[in-house]
Amino acid sequence: MKTIGIIGGGQLGLMIIEQAHILGAKTICLDPTPDSPAFKISDEHIVAAFDDAQALEELCRRSDVVTYEFENIPSDLLIALEKHIKQGVRPLFDSQDRVREKNNACENGLTPASFAEVNDMNSLVEGVKKIGYPCVFKTRTLGYDGHGQVVLKNDADLKKVAAYLPVPAILEEFIPFDFETSIVMVSDGKTIINFPIGQNIHTGGILDLCIVSEPTENSPVGTYAIRPLSKSLITKIETLSKDFMRRCGYKGILTIEFFIKGDEVYFNEMAPRPHNSGHYTIEGCNTNQFMELCRFLLDMDLQEPKLVAPTIMKNILGQDLEVAKQIAKENHPNVYVHIYGKTESKPKRKMGHITFVGMDIDEYNEKWKSRFY
């Protein structure tokens, strides 16, 4: 029986462990928080900081293979341990800095919005001259779920980012996109599989809904249209993404987020780990992102994902938690409530998700939307 080591003990680690156990593997995870969700079901765990070199070495020593469910790990500490990390350190390194990430995308066939490196107020002003308004200021590292981001619409807004400087940052063109999407892929070095692609709806910079259905012959129409993606657009996203993964030499799991404007596909960011937008796959597909990551880690053949029915995933934040618990008690058919078991609930903290299988957006809006808003 092999042991999978996981750097990180959050909900992604929890769901990796669930699938690892199905495949007969043991797990050990490392996290600085003693009551981390993954610790509740992991066979073993280590309480230590992500920059604790000795603890990371111990994790690797006690594991047959290691993965990460969290990007903010000092990648330089992992270089010496890379032989244990089947996915390698480079995908993590490339994703940890927004400027490096955008340059890497450009060099390997993807098109991001125009961007400029920002280190101080002078470079911010020069970046605005190059890109124009509106644009988006983002810190280069540690940003997620809208943290460290400011939309700039005019010169008066420049003062809003003064508190962030001189933290290294990036300025990006604001794309008036029709919608956002993401693709989750897994590669074993020979085969790249990907999960069905849907639309992602964000509220306040945090993912709210993922809407996935069978593709249509024609393109979505209208700004922020919530409708199935066209076959041609899906083929374009899949081709660009798989070519990018091959050119970079990445293995394991990779998620790429895109902005879609008409037929144009703009790279936003990537994550070398299971992704919030892929949670729908647990019940919405014949296999899921966590299972296929584990297959890769355990040297098993990958399974081609297929959508079992139109599916909607609703993120559960702190303010939604009691509603979600009530829905779980009601035991609705084809409604799957996942509560992550975090001990502290906060209004914008991810506390769980609900997957509605066999449901389209019209039915969701009619029957369920009012319970959350």
Side-chain angles (χ1 to χ4, degrees):
M1 181 182 293
K2 287 188 176 181
T3 297
I4 297 174
I6 305 167
I7 304 173
Q11 65 265 23
L12 300 181
L14 173 75
M15 290 182 271
I16 292 171
I17 293 167
E18 290 172 342
Q19 302 302 313
H21 285 168
I22 290 172
L23 294 175
K26 295 177 64 177
T27 60
I28 176 172
C29 53
L30 180 152
D31 197 281
T33 307
D35 59 356
S36 295
F39 285 4
K40 295 178 175 64
I41 64 170
S42 187
D43 299 281
E44 301 176 69
H45 66 264
I46 298 170
V47 180
F50 294 124
D51 61 356
D52 185 331
Q54 289 186 331
L56 290 169
E57 288 177 8
E58 181 184 352
L59 177 75
C60 291
R61 180 178 55 79
R62 293 164 64 180
S63 306
D64 294 294
V65 63
V66 174
T67 189
Y68 35 78
E69 61 103 63
F70 182 70
E71 279 118 311
N72 296 327
I73 309 159
S75 53
D76 57 329
L77 290 180
L78 298 184
I79 292 174
L81 305 171
E82 189 163 19
K83 67 179 181 180
H84 301 279
I85 302 168
K86 190 175 180 186
Q87 190 165 356
V89 177
R90 188 188 161 194
L92 183 69
F93 177 78
D94 289 345
S95 68
Q96 287 179 325
D97 181 294
R98 294 185 189 278
V99 171
R100 184 164 61 231
E101 182 183 53
K102 293 289 194 296
N103 285 328
N104 184 56
C106 292
E107 292 166 3
N108 290 286
L110 300 181
T111 303
S114 298
F115 64 95
E117 186 174 341
V118 173
N119 297 301
D120 51 32
M121 188 57 71
N122 287 336
S123 56
L124 174 63
V125 171
E126 289 302 312
V128 169
K129 289 179 181 177
K130 171 187 172 183
I131 295 171
Y133 292 118
C135 52
V136 185
F137 172 94
K138 300 178 181 179
T139 54
R140 284 177 62 166
T141 62
L142 302 180
Y144 65 96
D145 289 343
H147 295 287
Q149 301 185 21
V150 181
V151 176
L152 306 178
K153 298 179 180 179
N154 50 52
D155 288 348
D157 287 340
L158 296 180
K159 62 186 178 186
K160 295 180 180 179
V161 304
Y164 290 104
L165 298 174
V167 172
I170 186 173
L171 193 68
E172 299 178 11
E173 175 189 5
F174 182 86
I175 300 291
F177 53 82
D178 298 330
F179 59 89
E180 297 178 61
T181 190
S182 55
I183 180 171
V184 180
M185 301 175 287
V186 181
S187 172
D188 59 10
K190 298 175 294 185
T191 302
I192 302 177
I193 61 168
N194 71 272
F195 290 87
I197 302 169
Q199 291 192 48
N200 301 334
I201 309 300
H202 289 74
T203 301
I206 302 175
L207 184 67
D208 183 28
L209 297 175
C210 294
I211 304 160
V212 189
S213 58
E214 294 293 342
T216 63
E217 294 295 336
N218 300 314
S219 298
V221 178
T223 303
Y224 298 98
I226 301 177
R227 60 186 69 202
L229 278 66
S230 69
K231 291 181 179 178
S232 60
L233 180 59
I234 286 175
T235 298
K236 184 175 184 177
I237 294 169
E238 289 177 342
T239 300
L240 286 169
S241 301
K242 290 181 178 181
D243 285 349
F244 171 79
M245 199 169 187
R246 290 189 190 97
R247 289 172 64 164
C248 292
Y250 294 155
K251 295 180 182 180
I253 192 165
L254 182 74
T255 302
I256 304 178
E257 298 180 11
F258 293 103
F259 297 134
I260 308 299
K261 178 64 176 174
D263 292 327
E264 297 301 315
V265 177
Y266 294 93
F267 171 85
N268 179 29
E269 61 185 26
M270 71 178 204
R273 54 164 173 78
H275 198 262
N276 197 179
S277 67
H279 292 352
Y280 83 89
T281 62
I282 298 173
E283 290 89 18
C285 293
N286 62 323
T287 184
N288 64 74
Q289 61 172 342
F290 305 98
M291 175 66 77
E292 295 311 308
L293 171 60
C294 289
R295 288 181 187 275
F296 162 75
L297 294 170
L298 298 171
D299 297 316
M300 301 172 68
D301 290 340
L302 302 179
Q303 184 177 355
E304 189 66 36
K306 296 186 183 302
L307 190 69
V308 299
T311 299
I312 292 176
M313 189 281 292
K314 168 76 173 93
N315 244 350
I316 299 302
L317 306 183
Q319 65 266 29
D320 309 313
L321 184 57
E322 293 307 313
V323 173
K325 288 180 178 178
Q326 179 57 41
I327 292 171
K329 292 178 183 178
E330 293 167 4
N331 202 25
H332 297 274
N334 300 319
V335 176
Y336 302 90
V337 181
H338 297 255
I339 304 298
Y340 301 148
K342 296 179 180 179
T343 55
E344 184 179 7
S345 176
K346 298 179 182 179
K348 293 186 178 182
R349 191 182 191 195
K350 294 173 184 173
M351 302 300 295
H353 70 270
I354 302 178
T355 307
F356 302 88
V357 179
M359 185 175 297
D360 61 21
I361 189 63
D362 292 333
E363 184 179 355
Y364 172 82
N365 286 339
E366 179 183 348
K367 295 182 179 180
W368 295 97
K369 183 177 180 179
S370 63
R371 298 192 68 167
F372 299 105
Y373 306 102

